[in-house]
Amino acid sequence: MSELIGPHGGKLCDLYVDANRRKEINEASRDWPSWTLTERQLCDLELLANGAFSPLTGFVKQADYESICAKMRLADGTLWPMPIPLDVTQDVADTLSAGSMLALRDMEGLLLAVLHVEELYTPDRHAEAEAVFGTKNTEHPGVDYLFNKTNPVYLGGRIEAVNPPAHHDYRSLRSTPKKLRAEFAERGWTKVVAFQTRNPMHRAHFELTYRAAEEQQAKLLVHPVVGQTKPGDIGHYVRVRCYRKIMGHYPEGTAQLSLLPLAMRLGGPREALWHAIIRKNFGCTHLIVGRDHAGPGSDSSGKPFYDPYGAQQLLREHEKELGVSMVPFQLMVYLEKKACYMPIDEVPEGEKTLQISGTELRRRLNTGEAIPDWFTFPDVAEELQIAYPPLHKRGLVLFFTGLSGSGKSTVANVVVSRLQEYGGRSVMLLDGDVVRTNLSSELGFSKEHRDINIRRIGYVASEVGRAGGIAVCAPIAPYDATRKHGRILAGQAGASFVLVHVATSLEECERRDRKGLYAKARAGIIKEFTGISDPYEAPTDAEVTITTEGETPEESADKVMAYLREVGILPR
Ligand code: PPS
C-alpha cells in the first residue's frame, strides 16, 4: 500500500508546547519584552508553528537568510526559497541581545509564542529585493513591502508556540498540515494535486483542476490563500463563499477545500517553489502551476516582472529533489459549438472560443448584466452578484476638491438635494467647514494637519460607502496623495469613488472673496492660505471637472449628475 508523501526535510514540525511549558512561558513572559506581530508576521508564525513551513523551527538566522537569498537553500543545503526572518523596529532591537526571550503577541496582546532570540542582523534590503524578487521596482508589491513596510532589524531564532492565532471565520475549513495529513491518510488519499489560488474560481478553473486530478489519477486539494494576497484582490470572505459553492460541483469524494493563511510575497518562480514545499507539508504530491504563478503581473511600462513560464520551469527543475510534481496548466477556453472547455493549445483551427476577462466580469457586475453559465456556475455567479451589486446599489464617495470660495459647498449642496430626490441610498454631506467644526476642531492648516483632516474625511466617507450610503465630501483637499488615499479607502470598502474638481480660478475665488479670507491672506493676517501662501495640487485624475465661472450651481450639479448616470452609479 502506498504511503503519504513525507514532509519537507523529513520531519513535520509542531512548535506548540505542552500545557506545563505553556504555563511556565505565560508566567515568565510578563518580564520579557514584547512584540506585536504585524499581519504578515501573524501568518508566518501560524505556518511556522503548525509545520506548514517545515523544516523551519523558527525565524531564520543570518546564515540561512544569506543562503536563501543567494541559493534558494538553507545553510544546510535544504531547498527553501523565501526568507522568513522576524523584522522589528530599532527601538525593540535595542532592548534585545542574543539570548533574550521575546514575547510575540497578537494585536489584542494575547501571547502567541516566544522567540528565543539567537541573532539580530541588519539586512541589505536592496540586495534582498534583487535576489528574491529580481527587481528593486517598488511597483512590485513584495518589493514595496520590503522597502516601505519592513522593519530595519531582523531577528532569528527558535520559536515555542503557545496559542494559535485566533480565527473566528471559516474555522471548519482551516486545517493544520497534521490534521489534513491525518484526513488524507484515513481516506487513503496518497496522491493529491494541490490548487493554489487567490481569486474566485470560475468554470475554467473547475475544468482544469478536475482534469488535472483525473489525469494524475489523484484527488484534489483546493487550497486558496486567505492570508495576505495582492492588494486589490477580492476579499477572502467572498471568495470562500464562492469556493464552497464550486466544491459542490466535483464528484463526491474527489476534492477537498482547505484554507491557507499564507502571506504571499508575489515572488513568481521562487514563490511557486515555496508553494510546492508548503503543499508537500500538507501531504500533497502535485501542484498545479499556471501562467505567471504567484507573480504580480507587469510594471507600469507593461513589462512583466517574471517570465510567464518561469515558475513552471523552476519547479520542473526541482521536482525530483522535492518529490512534488508540477502539473502545468494552460489557459482553458470555452468552445461555443461543442459547449465544452479545452486547453487553448488543443483547440482545432477556426473553432470559435469564448472567454471573459476579469475586466469584463467587473463590468458585468457593475452594470448588473447577466454572467453566462458557461463562464461561471450560477451559484458562484449569485455569490459574486450579492457581494458586488450593480454600481447604482453600491456605496459612493463623491469627493469635491477646489480652492476656498470655488463653490464646492454650493454645488455639493445642490447635488445632495438631487441625490435625495433620487432616493434609494442615504446621503451624508461632509462639508469642509462643517468637518472642521465637528470632526477636526483641533486641527490647523499645516500640511500635516490638512492631511489628517482629509484622511479622517476619507475614512468616515468610506465607512458610509461600506454601509451602502453616499458620502458627499467638500473640503479643499489640496494634496494629490491624500485624495488618492481616500480613493483607495473607498475601493477597499467596496464603494465607488468619484472626484469632482471645482476648477474655479484663483482670480475668480479672490474676486468673490465671500468670507474676506483672501484679503486677510494677502495682508498676511491668515498664514498658509491655499492658493496664496500654501499650495493647491490640481487633480489630474478627476472624473468630473466643473468651473463655476459663467455657470450656475444648478448647471454644475447637472454635470455631476449626468456623469453619475452615465457610468451607472445612478439608475438612468
Ligand atoms: S483642507 O486643506 O482641505 O484641510 O481645508 P478645509 O478643511 O476644506 O478647510 C477650508 C476652510 O477653512 C477656511 N480656512 C482656510 N482655508 C485654506 N487655507 C487656510 N489657511 C484657511 N484658514 C481658514 C476656509 O474658510 C475654508 O473654507 P472654504 O469653504 O473652502 O472656503
Side-chain angles (χ1 to χ4, degrees):
M1 208 181 98
S2 56
E3 290 208 343
L4 231 57
I5 186 172
H8 191 48
K11 185 175 169 279
L12 190 69
C13 300
D14 177 356
L15 308 183
Y16 287 100
V17 296
D18 64 21
N20 288 337
R21 179 68 183 141
R22 185 183 310 129
K23 194 160 167 269
E24 250 173 56
I25 291 177
N26 265 324
E27 276 164 21
S29 66
R30 290 177 200 132
D31 299 326
W32 297 336
S34 268
W35 174 253
T36 305
L37 295 156
T38 63
E39 250 179 80
R40 174 188 281 191
Q41 293 169 346
L42 273 170
C43 292
D44 287 352
L45 176 66
E46 181 168 3
L47 298 186
L48 276 169
N50 71 19
F53 285 174
S54 298
L56 301 191
T57 54
F59 289 101
V60 296
K61 293 189 279 184
Q62 191 162 9
D64 283 331
Y65 167 77
E66 279 166 7
S67 173
I68 292 167
C69 289
K71 299 188 268 189
M72 296 195 297
R73 290 179 186 277
L74 301 175
D76 69 5
T78 311
L79 206 54
W80 188 272
M82 204 51 78
I84 318 283
L86 183 78
D87 58 298
V88 297
T89 56
Q90 190 63 55
D91 285 354
V92 168
D94 289 344
T95 67
L96 303 168
S97 57
S100 303
M101 303 287 260
L102 180 64
L104 305 181
R105 300 180 185 276
D106 69 9
M107 281 129 196
E108 265 83 53
L110 178 72
L111 181 70
L112 299 184
V114 53
L115 172 67
H116 294 251
V117 180
E118 291 168 49
E119 281 179 11
L120 299 94
Y121 54 104
T122 308
D124 176 343
R125 283 191 252 186
H126 286 263
E128 181 180 330
E130 281 289 7
V132 176
F133 299 112
T135 176
K136 287 193 269 188
N137 184 346
T138 50
E139 288 168 356
H140 185 303
V143 177
D144 176 48
Y145 193 98
L146 182 61
F147 287 179
N148 300 318
K149 295 177 193 119
T150 303
N151 295 298
V153 183
Y154 284 3
L155 306 180
R158 187 167 71 85
I159 288 286
E160 286 184 282
V162 179
N163 290 302
H167 292 293
H168 306 294
D169 56 331
Y170 303 122
R171 289 168 79 136
S172 63
L173 293 176
R174 294 174 181 272
S175 291
T176 61
K178 198 168 158 190
K179 182 158 175 271
L180 212 54
R181 283 173 159 273
E183 286 173 20
F184 288 172
E186 200 186 312
R187 286 188 237 129
W189 285 23
T190 48
K191 254 174 123 181
V192 182
V193 177
F195 180 62
Q196 138 84 32
T197 180
R198 34 168 270 262
N199 288 309
M201 286 172 71
H202 302 295
R203 287 281 300 257
H205 301 106
F206 171 80
E207 296 291 338
L208 83 88
T209 50
Y210 180 73
R211 269 166 180 253
E214 284 268 299
E215 277 166 20
Q216 304 298 328
Q217 297 181 324
K219 306 293 183 181
L220 175 73
L221 176 69
V222 176
H223 210 197
V225 173
V226 296
Q228 283 182 318
T229 62
K230 191 175 163 188
D233 279 349
I234 291 184
H236 81 277
Y237 284 104
V238 179
R239 287 190 287 119
V240 177
R241 288 201 292 272
C242 294
Y243 301 141
R244 279 190 143 154
K245 290 282 160 69
I246 213 158
M247 293 313 289
H249 295 272
Y250 292 99
E252 184 73 29
T254 62
Q256 179 169 352
L257 170 66
S258 185
L259 310 181
L260 181 68
L262 174 72
M264 290 180 71
R265 273 61 164 174
L266 280 321
R270 262 189 191 244
E271 174 123 3
L273 197 57
W274 191 38
H275 288 177
I277 292 172
I278 295 167
R279 271 42 183 245
K280 180 181 177 185
N281 286 329
F282 276 94
C284 300
T285 47
H286 297 70
L287 176 69
I288 298 174
V289 182
R291 221 182 153 274
D292 196 24
H293 184 105
S298 304
D299 65 16
S300 54
S301 71
K303 189 169 161 267
F305 281 105
Y306 301 109
D307 168 355
Y309 297 103
Q312 293 185 347
Q313 202 181 319
L314 188 69
L315 241 74
R316 194 168 283 133
E317 283 165 25
H318 293 91
E319 254 178 357
K320 252 214 173 109
E321 179 179 356
L322 206 55
V324 175
S325 308
M326 191 274 296
V327 183
F329 84 76
Q330 292 160 330
L331 200 64
M332 300 288 280
V333 289
Y334 185 71
L335 273 64
E336 199 176 21
K337 254 216 230 105
K338 296 203 169 98
C340 70
Y341 274 88
M342 208 174 252
I344 197 157
D345 274 16
E346 296 171 21
V347 175
E349 250 196 64
E351 192 86 33
K352 189 174 172 211
T353 62
L354 299 178
Q355 248 180 296
I356 287 186
S357 66
T359 315
E360 171 62 8
L361 174 64
R362 267 192 298 280
R363 193 194 64 76
R364 283 175 187 254
L365 288 168
N366 288 349
T367 55
E369 262 172 71
I371 300 171
D373 290 4
W374 64 260
F375 175 71
T376 289
F377 289 114
D379 48 359
V380 174
E382 196 186 329
E383 284 299 341
L384 291 171
Q385 281 157 338
I386 293 169
Y388 297 95
L391 289 184
H392 67 268
K393 290 192 177 151
R394 264 184 236 172
L396 164 68
V397 175
L398 185 58
F399 200 103
F400 287 79
T401 173
L403 294 169
S404 171
S406 58
K408 300 181 297 290
S409 310
T410 315
V411 180
N413 270 297
V414 180
V415 169
V416 165
S417 298
R418 299 265 169 90
L419 290 170
Q420 274 165 337
E421 283 174 12
Y422 255 93
R425 286 175 279 190
S426 64
V427 186
M428 163 195 208
L429 177 64
L430 288 163
D431 194 24
D433 278 336
V434 178
V435 168
R436 280 200 171 262
T437 313
N438 297 306
L439 199 60
S440 294
S441 55
E442 84 285 18
L443 299 181
F445 288 89
S446 63
K447 171 160 193 324
E448 191 197 349
H449 277 194
R450 288 180 197 261
D451 279 349
I452 295 173
N453 183 38
I454 299 308
R455 279 169 181 266
R456 281 182 192 165
I457 293 175
Y459 171 73
V460 174
S462 69
E463 289 305 309
V464 170
R466 189 191 302 282
I470 298 179
V472 179
C473 317
I476 296 178
Y479 297 109
D480 183 58
T482 336
R483 293 189 298 253
K484 287 205 163 81
H485 174 75
R487 191 185 280 277
I488 290 168
L489 286 186
Q492 285 170 348
S496 308
F497 182 94
V498 172
L499 186 66
V500 180
H501 181 200
V502 184
T504 311
S505 65
L506 176 65
E507 295 70 38
E508 175 62 14
C509 294
E510 196 166 0
R511 195 190 58 72
R512 291 179 190 165
D513 203 8
R514 295 222 171 86
K515 301 179 188 165
L517 298 175
Y518 280 95
K520 285 190 184 147
R522 288 282 180 207
I525 300 165
I526 302 180
K527 308 269 184 262
E528 299 176 313
F529 196 83
T530 308
I532 306 294
S533 42
D534 222 53
Y536 178 78
E537 297 171 4
T540 52
D541 57 347
E543 276 75 13
V544 184
T545 300
I546 53 178
T547 163
T548 59
E549 291 161 78
E551 142 180 329
T552 66
E554 282 72 22
E555 285 165 342
S556 298
D558 282 345
K559 281 188 185 163
V560 177
M561 298 300 283
Y563 175 80
L564 297 179
R565 272 191 298 273
E566 184 194 318
V567 296
I569 289 175
L570 286 175
R572 289 169 202 215

